[in-house]
Amino acid sequence: ITTVGGTSSYALPSDFLSARLAYISADPVVVLQQTTLENLFSQYPSAATSQPAQIAVAGANLLMRPVPDSAYTIPFFFHK
């Protein structure tokens, strides 16, 4: 996944079953914490932008919070 600044929702692949690992490809690597949708919005109720820290699955989309403030390369591993 390559994020776009100001965009919090990204379509999941059609063969997606469950998330395994997502991280920001940087030095150092930043592992994104997987959480529930409820916890994601409880911890990050606003659409403030910054480097993402958490992800949650919402239907056919992956949501990130904080909302990415720029382009990040995020390798995303999942069960098919």
Side-chain angles (χ1 to χ4, degrees):
I1 297 170
T2 299
T3 64
V4 175
T7 301
S8 65
S9 180
Y10 298 87
L12 290 167
S14 60
D15 59 349
F16 174 85
L17 288 180
S18 64
R20 292 183 54 209
L21 173 69
Y23 63 90
I24 296 174
S25 185
D27 189 16
V29 166
V30 178
V31 175
L32 300 178
Q33 180 184 354
Q34 296 179 49
T35 189
T36 64
L37 193 56
E38 293 81 9
N39 287 339
L40 186 75
F41 286 111
S42 291
Q43 267 199 280
Y44 299 98
S46 75
T49 59
S50 185
Q51 177 177 291
Q54 293 188 356
I55 58 171
V57 173
N61 293 299
L62 183 70
L63 301 182
M64 297 183 190
R65 285 289 197 267
V67 176
D69 58 351
S70 64
Y72 294 93
T73 299
I74 301 178
F76 180 61
F77 298 91
F78 60 95
H79 296 281
K80 296 180 179 185

